[in-house]
Each structure stands twice: as C-alpha cells, then as structure tokens.
Amino acid sequence: MTVVAPAVSLRGAVAVPGDKSISHRAVLIGSIAEGETAVRGFGRSEDTESTVRAMRALGVEIEDEGPDALRVHGVGLRGLRALDGSIDCGNAGTLVRLLAGILAGQQWQQFELAGDESLSTRPMGRIAEPLTQMGAGVETAGGHLPLGIEGRPLHGIAYELPVASAQVKSCVLLAGLYADGETTVVEPVPTRDHTERMLRAAGAHVRTGSGRVTVEPADRLVLGEVTVPGDISSAAPLILAATLLPGSELIVTGVGVNPTRIGFLDVLERMGARIAVFNRRTAAGEPVADLEITHSELVAAEIEPAEVPRLVDELPLFVLAASMAHGTSRVRGAEELRTKETDRIAAVADGLRALGAHVAAHDDGFTIRGVPTRPRGGRMSSAGDHRVAMLAAVAGLASRDGVAIEGAECVAVSFPGFFDLLDSLAQR
Ligand code: S3P
C-alpha cells in the first residue's frame, strides 16, 4: 500500500518522461523504416518496453543507448519475420492496435498478438473490421485477444471511424502503407495525429483536411532521428496538483503541446487555472514548450463530446479538479473511458467518492458537485490502471488526511519514476 500524505504546495522545475504515444510510434515506424533510427527522449515504461520487446521478437535489432535513448535498425516495410508463438503486448493498447496494421501488410505470414488480463478484455473488433475490409486475414476471440493476423495483399479503403480513436485511425493508416491504392480515414472528431506527423517525417505521403486523413502506398520510409517531447499526460497530474495547492509554483520543461493533446490545459484555463506556455519550439515535427503553473481557485466546467479526445487520458484528473471547484461540472460523450485499461468511469467515480468527493457516474461521463475545500482522503484502489493510480496520488496531496493507494505500482505502465518525482516536489 502506497500512502500519499497531504502537501502544502508543489514547488520546483522538472522534466517528465518522453511521450508514450510518440515513443511507441518511433519504435514501430523505425522498425519498418530503412536504416537506423536514433530515438532520443524515449519514454521508458512498461508499455513502451513491451513495444521494444515485440519488435525484437519480430527480428528487429534495437540497441539500448542510455536511459532514454534507443537505436532501431529498421528492416524495411516488408522485413518483419513471423515467429512461433504469440507476441506479448502486455498492457499496451497502442502497441497491439498499431502493430496489427503493420502485420496486416506482411504478406502470407501469420502472427498472433496477445496481452495481459486487462488488454484481453479490451475491444479489438474495431481494428479487425477495417483490416478485414482491406483484405487481411484477421481472427479475434469474440472481438478480443488473442488476435490472429495473416498478412495479405491489401486494398486501399475509405473508412469512417465508428468511434473517435487515434489507435484505430493509426492502425488503418499503417496498413494503408501496404495497400494497392490510397487509404482514407474519416474521423468524427479529431484525435491525436502523431502517426500522421511521423509518417510524413519518414517520407510517406499523407494528406489531411476536413476530418479526413489520406495515406498513399509507400515504397520505403526513412526516419533517421526522433526526439520525443515530454508527455503532457504524465505532466498532467503535476499540473493539477500545482493548480490545487496554494503557494505552488511549478515549471515543467520540454512538454509536447500538440493541439490534439492539450485539451486538459484548455479546460483548466477555462476553470481559472494559471498556466503559462512559453519557449515554444518544434521537435520531430511536434510542438514543444515549457509550462509554468501557479495555484488558482477553480470554477466548474462542461466537457462536451467533441472535446473528449483532446483530453481523453486526463478526464480522471478533470473529475478531481471539478470536485474541488466552485459549482457543478459535467462530462458528456466520454463512454470510451469504459474501454480503457479499466472502466475509468466506474473506477474514478467509486474511488473519488470514497475520499469524500461528490461524483455521479453516467453511461457516458460524470456529474461532479464541487466543494472548494480539501477532500477528506482515505483509501482508493487503482483498479490496476496507471492513470487512476496517479489520480489517487494527486488526491492524496490535495486531501486533509492523505490517501492510501491500493495497487499503486501500476504507475510504471507509463511513468515509473512518478512517486519519486512527486516526493521531490511536494512541500510538507
Ligand atoms: C493513444 C490513443 C488513445 C489514448 C491512449 C493512447 C495513442 O486511445 O487513450 O492512451 O497512442 O494513439 P484511443 O485512440 O483508443 O482513444
């Protein structure tokens, strides 16, 4: 049991690990590129290590060159080799869904993808459907893992996403590299566009506009070097803690501020938070900046369905922010939270209620009655979900009595040094 004691404030200047979404993509796309790709600022975590292990198992040489540096020796678009037995994707949804798109193009080879207990409950029909339309041989266990894939000649399709999902979009675009014509994905709402940016950087022809992304078949990719920005989703718990605790002054350097990822900053600003974004620059085709956060009182906010993908992984933190704001907040159109590492609507509502917050769960979101004082604290389970564990830790800092977190070790899925970093910043 990890206990997070109340803190007076959060003070200091830190960097957070490299972005998890971009780190997965650097290894996956580096693996099917020609020649070497040097990855700097790699966000090492259980999830991204699963990707390194999976690509090694498929015959890709990946050298560890330091705590956050890798060198990927690409085997080219069609150079992956099938192995006996299944590829273990661990807890990583991004890995299984993106890799499936790549394997669909490895002609006449057969693969099986499997994962841990949590990943095995998550929906895979959403990738099986478009990959089958493209001509791949795909089998699931009733829409779940294990996923069997036979690479076959693929056809370009136009695919309208039934759910706003960057993972499904990326799966189809990666398969589109292997197709006999253009592949278009139509998005109901824009989702993170890291795959599009990295494919372009690797020389692929990708067009975007009016809710559509089109990729042309590729002969070869060359990535060369990727400098991964800090993960805004890992910075988010720190940003919220600094906002909630009076006297806080926090600087987070080198964070990715891709417009498709900064919904949490926008919503917090709407609620009255003080977040300065400065030193804007670009790395690996991604916008990067430094952030300075000072304490502020918050007012309630409404989150509508169209905004959800821009802060999908930060919605648990939003619920805590709203529970300490003036007024009643609502989240609508967030039913995708029920298909994450755990059912995040249930885990967040049950967990925060146990600490004294007023949170009602709905099929597609939350209603939160804010009380602008410290919640009592108590005991909260991570439900085995790294984002819920980090939420519980921030709640502990902001509480009166502290929070005892059951299953806190799962933070390592995205942010292994989280508790040490939090301790170094918390003033008690
Ligand atoms: C991710 C996309 C999101 C997000 C996940 C990472 C990605 O999932 O929740 O943590 O790297 O593409 P969906 O695209 O399934 O919503």
Side-chain angles (χ1 to χ4, degrees):
M1 187 85 72
T2 300
V3 178
V4 177
V8 176
S9 62
L10 216 65
R11 297 182 81 87
V14 290
V16 289
D19 188 275
K20 183 155 81 75
S21 291
I22 299 174
S23 295
H24 282 302
R25 287 159 171 81
V27 174
L28 290 167
I29 296 175
S31 293
I32 54 168
E34 309 275 322
E36 295 179 9
T37 297
V39 187
R40 305 287 170 239
F42 180 66
R44 228 177 256 283
S45 64
E46 285 178 5
D47 255 17
T48 57
E49 292 286 7
S50 290
T51 295
V52 169
R53 253 197 322 276
M55 299 322 286
R56 282 184 179 143
L58 288 162
V60 181
E61 190 194 339
I62 301 175
E63 292 174 78
D64 282 312
E65 293 195 323
D68 65 353
L70 295 177
R71 186 168 297 271
V72 183
H73 296 260
V75 296
L77 280 162
R78 293 175 171 80
L80 298 175
R81 64 168 163 68
L83 67 159
D84 293 335
S86 62
I87 301 165
D88 180 9
C89 295
N91 193 245
T94 302
L95 168 58
V96 71
R97 296 202 177 106
L98 273 60
L99 181 56
I102 291 171
L103 297 180
Q106 310 294 309
Q107 271 187 39
W108 309 121
Q109 298 203 63
Q110 290 175 359
F111 306 89
E112 187 181 276
L113 300 178
D116 71 6
E117 206 181 308
S118 151
L119 193 58
S120 301
T121 66
R122 299 181 63 185
M124 296 299 152
R126 54 179 61 190
I127 55 167
E129 166 67 30
L131 291 179
T132 304
Q133 280 186 29
M134 294 178 84
V138 185
E139 274 176 29
T140 66
H144 299 286
L145 296 182
L147 185 81
I149 304 180
E150 184 178 72
R152 292 184 188 160
L154 300 181
H155 317 294
I157 58 169
Y159 189 68
E160 191 164 343
L161 292 179
V163 285
S165 165
Q167 293 177 352
V168 178
K169 171 178 68 174
S170 299
C171 172
V172 176
L173 293 177
L174 288 166
L177 297 171
Y178 299 90
D180 57 4
E182 288 187 350
T183 297
T184 296
V185 178
V186 181
E187 295 194 277
V189 178
T191 62
R192 65 192 67 192
D193 63 356
H194 306 303
T195 302
E196 295 90 307
R197 287 173 188 257
M198 200 176 288
L199 284 179
R200 247 187 228 125
H205 296 285
V206 181
R207 302 193 305 276
T208 52
S210 50
R212 303 164 78 83
V213 189
T214 299
V215 66
E216 291 177 20
D219 291 330
R220 63 200 293 266
L221 302 175
V222 179
L223 203 46
E225 202 172 301
V226 180
T227 302
V228 181
D231 197 328
I232 186 80
S233 296
S234 297
L238 310 177
I239 293 168
L240 177 59
T243 297
L244 294 177
L245 300 176
S248 293
E249 227 179 284
L250 174 71
I251 292 180
V252 192
T253 55
V255 188
V257 287
N258 181 314
T260 61
R261 291 287 299 281
I262 56 167
F264 187 59
L265 299 184
D266 293 347
V267 170
L268 278 182
E269 279 173 353
R270 267 198 333 255
M271 297 172 82
R274 296 203 188 106
I275 302 169
V277 181
F278 58 106
N279 276 344
R280 285 183 186 271
R281 54 214 189 255
T282 306
E286 293 277 348
V288 181
D290 299 338
L291 309 177
E292 184 177 22
I293 305 98
T294 48
H295 160 73
S296 176
E297 295 223 346
L298 299 178
V299 294
E302 302 267 327
I303 297 186
E304 301 294 339
E307 195 165 28
V308 165
R310 296 182 64 241
L311 76 161
V312 65
D313 293 335
E314 290 67 65
L315 282 171
L317 294 169
F318 168 76
V319 178
L320 174 62
S323 76
M324 293 179 65
H326 295 268
T328 298
S329 296
R330 277 180 203 85
V331 179
R332 275 187 271 261
E335 57 278 359
E336 273 295 295
L337 290 185
R338 295 205 181 266
T339 70
K340 296 294 178 186
E341 284 82 331
T342 188
D343 175 346
R344 285 186 181 158
I345 293 183
V348 168
D350 293 348
L352 292 182
R353 266 203 303 263
L355 307 181
H358 303 280
V359 182
H362 310 303
D363 288 349
D364 70 338
F366 307 89
T367 301
I368 311 110
R369 183 161 63 78
V371 180
T373 56
R374 286 181 178 251
R376 183 184 64 237
R379 226 172 215 264
M380 181 168 161
S381 168
S382 72
D385 183 318
H386 55 127
R387 306 257 176 243
V388 179
M390 288 190 261
L391 164 71
V394 179
L397 296 176
S399 69
R400 286 200 302 275
D401 301 340
V403 170
I405 310 170
E406 289 165 45
E409 64 287 345
C410 65
V411 296
V413 161
S414 64
F415 195 166
F418 174 73
F419 285 105
D420 289 342
L421 189 68
L422 210 57
D423 254 356
S424 74
L425 294 169
Q427 311 294 308
R428 291 191 161 104

